[in-house]
Amino acid sequence: MRALLFGGLAVLLAAGATLAPAFAETTDQPAPTIAQAPALNHVYVVLDAATYAAIRDSRELADLLGRADGGLPDYAPPTPNADRVFFRGRRTYLEFFAPDNRFNEPVGKVGVALGYDEPAPFDALEQTWRASCGDQVRRSQADWRRSEPPTPWYDALQCDDTAVGPLAIWAMVYRPEFLRWQSGAGLEAPPRTARADVLASRRQAGQGRFEVTGVTVDVSPPLQAKLVAQLEQAGFERLDTPAGVRLRGDDWEFLLRRADGPSRRVVLHLATDLPLTEPLTLGRARAAPRDVSGAVIQFELPEP
């Protein structure tokens, strides 16, 4: 449990969530072959105060992405003193943290949650990471405990040494109980765990106008090498380019660039329903048109 609390997975947990760790024995058997690389569930970034306020309050950004919310249970608009804001896409979402946040995550921290729509490939990833990460692998179940009884929310998986530091990586899959609770469906409803199903109601509420199609992060050479190896094992296709190591997942790309200065660049590539017609300055971030149906948001972040 301790590793989950100090790792990137901590920021997944709303105030009403609990984690129940589940451990399996380390095996010496070879890792199973991963048939398909993971998709993306969400990305979080911890921002300085000015950038956070600019993103939270930008009317133009809300027009592009859909309105922001403050999280579960009702996805209400964020309050003026909220320490995080969410933008919900069609299958993915973005989470931005204020500098003084409930998890004490430092400015500059980035988290990337790999996503699965079904439990079987998630279980296969657990076997793969156990074969490579050994006893550093940690699997846990998060429950939404503001319901009575608490509702199973998602299962999460991480290798501890890459779930901490300036860039945290982990994987997750929703539990079928969560969508039944969120939608009010009965126990007779078929089990659904797809990201699109969980976010479907957001489009009806004026959200869900985008998809995250790429993430670029500057990292140190040692961390780059460690993450590339771990993500290749997860099924990502590797391509070495002058810009960095490009990893192709299920409908998204993850570019790991070698950091070459005191600041770190993080770029979010978005496919949007409507074009961004003019660049936006958002504190120390900048949103710019990518093409007729997309945008990029670039951050210059300090080393956390």
Side-chain angles (χ1 to χ4, degrees):
M1 174 69 95
R2 178 171 174 269
L4 293 174
L5 293 178
F6 67 64
L9 183 57
V11 297
L12 231 70
L13 307 180
T18 55
L19 280 172
F23 303 96
E25 294 181 1
T26 301
T27 175
D28 293 329
Q29 297 298 317
T33 300
I34 299 295
Q36 184 175 8
L40 178 68
N41 187 282
H42 73 279
V43 181
Y44 77 77
V45 185
V46 186
L47 303 171
D48 63 89
T51 304
Y52 174 78
I55 286 177
R56 180 195 62 203
D57 300 336
S58 173
R59 181 70 262 168
E60 294 83 359
L61 192 63
D63 288 342
L64 181 69
L65 304 182
R67 69 165 181 85
D69 70 70
L72 292 172
D74 54 5
Y75 302 98
T79 61
N81 61 347
D83 65 350
R84 58 184 180 163
V85 296
F86 299 83
F87 290 92
R88 312 287 177 172
R90 295 184 286 273
R91 292 176 298 176
T92 59
Y93 68 89
L94 299 172
E95 183 175 8
F96 298 111
F97 280 87
D100 297 321
N101 58 78
R102 70 192 72 182
F103 303 110
N104 296 316
E105 293 281 29
V107 174
K109 180 74 175 285
V110 178
V112 176
L114 313 180
Y116 288 95
D117 289 331
E118 298 176 350
F122 179 85
D123 294 339
L125 179 65
E126 180 183 8
Q127 295 180 53
T128 296
W129 279 359
R130 287 198 181 281
S132 58
C133 299
D135 59 8
Q136 290 198 40
V137 171
R138 195 172 301 261
R139 176 171 177 160
S140 295
Q141 175 186 307
D143 294 333
W144 178 253
R145 58 181 172 85
R146 290 185 183 177
S147 62
E148 184 57 47
T151 301
W153 186 0
Y154 59 86
D155 288 335
L157 183 69
Q158 68 181 55
C159 293
D160 285 347
D161 63 345
T162 52
V164 297
L167 172 60
I169 302 293
W170 71 100
M172 60 178 288
V173 63
Y174 291 112
R175 298 287 300 248
E177 298 93 335
F178 177 69
L179 189 55
R180 288 192 184 109
W181 168 78
Q182 182 175 254
S183 64
L187 293 176
E188 68 282 357
R192 291 188 293 164
T193 57
R195 296 162 299 136
D197 288 337
V198 171
L199 291 172
S201 64
R202 298 300 86 222
R203 193 165 180 84
Q204 301 166 11
Q207 298 179 289
R209 300 177 184 174
F210 71 95
E211 198 74 274
V212 183
T213 59
V215 180
T216 299
V217 183
D218 287 355
V219 294
S220 68
L223 181 57
Q224 183 193 52
K226 185 178 294 186
L227 286 173
V228 168
Q230 183 178 339
L231 295 175
E232 279 191 287
Q233 293 162 357
F236 282 82
E237 179 185 347
R238 173 180 178 168
L239 179 63
D240 293 300
T241 73
V245 180
R246 191 177 301 276
L247 297 154
R248 292 175 176 167
D250 182 8
D251 288 336
W252 72 294
E253 290 192 345
F254 196 6
L255 176 61
L256 295 173
R257 294 171 13 117
R258 291 196 174 196
D260 56 5
S263 64
R264 298 162 56 242
R265 181 178 302 174
V266 174
V267 184
L268 305 176
H269 302 260
L270 310 174
T272 55
D273 288 355
L274 299 174
L276 177 63
T277 57
E278 298 289 340
L280 302 176
T281 299
L282 304 162
R284 296 184 63 186
R286 179 178 171 84
R290 186 182 67 179
D291 50 36
V292 294
S293 60
V296 296
I297 306 177
Q298 180 171 309
F299 304 85
E300 297 292 336
L301 301 174
E303 189 72 22

